[in-house]
Amino acid sequence: MGQYAIDKTVKEAVDGSGLLVVAQWEAKEGQADRIADILSRFLPEAQSEPGAKLFLISRAKDNPAQFLFYELFRDEAAFKAHQDSAHFKTYIAGEALPLLAKRERLQYALL
């Protein structure tokens, strides 16, 4: 997860409206590195979605079992397309979610 396929500035990404999704994951005991591997394969595909304005995933320094997602989508339809994508269904729903002890997700509108 050390490389990010971002070809725009943060200012360009957040200009205008959008739907911000912030999620926190915590891996089950012994599954953190496996989740990190899954996310490293998922991230470039998520970042290249046409409706994704900004898509970042971080891993906590103090607790490597915790992951933070910061996702900015053009609108609700783009978020739905993200969840319906093949890479989401394969990597997230199919591989990562069963390895989680905890998952929280909040949605925000940009001001």
Side-chain angles (χ1 to χ4, degrees):
M1 288 187 316
Q3 297 179 8
Y4 293 99
I6 298 174
D7 60 356
K8 57 186 135 191
T9 67
V10 173
K11 182 180 179 340
E12 289 170 329
V14 298
D15 257 355
S17 62
L19 173 68
L20 176 65
V21 178
V22 178
Q24 287 187 290
W25 287 7
E26 186 162 338
K28 290 179 181 175
E29 183 73 30
Q31 298 300 321
D33 288 339
R34 196 163 158 211
I35 289 174
D37 177 62
I38 293 165
L39 294 176
S40 70
R41 291 180 278 133
F42 166 76
L43 185 60
E45 294 191 48
Q47 288 174 328
S48 67
E49 293 174 21
K53 296 171 81 175
L54 183 66
F55 205 107
L56 303 172
I57 304 173
S58 301
R59 192 172 184 181
K61 287 183 173 187
D62 294 339
N63 182 353
Q66 294 179 337
F67 298 85
L68 176 70
F69 295 68
Y70 193 85
E71 311 166 9
L72 180 59
F73 296 94
R74 182 183 58 241
D75 52 26
E76 290 274 352
F79 179 56
K80 178 161 180 15
H82 166 68
Q83 292 181 305
D84 290 341
S85 70
H87 53 272
F88 183 91
K89 289 178 180 178
T90 298
Y91 295 122
I92 302 304
E95 295 182 30
L97 293 184
L99 305 177
L100 298 181
K102 182 178 177 184
R103 179 185 185 206
E104 296 179 4
R105 186 173 54 192
L106 297 171
Q107 295 182 13
Y108 300 87
L110 291 183
L111 298 178

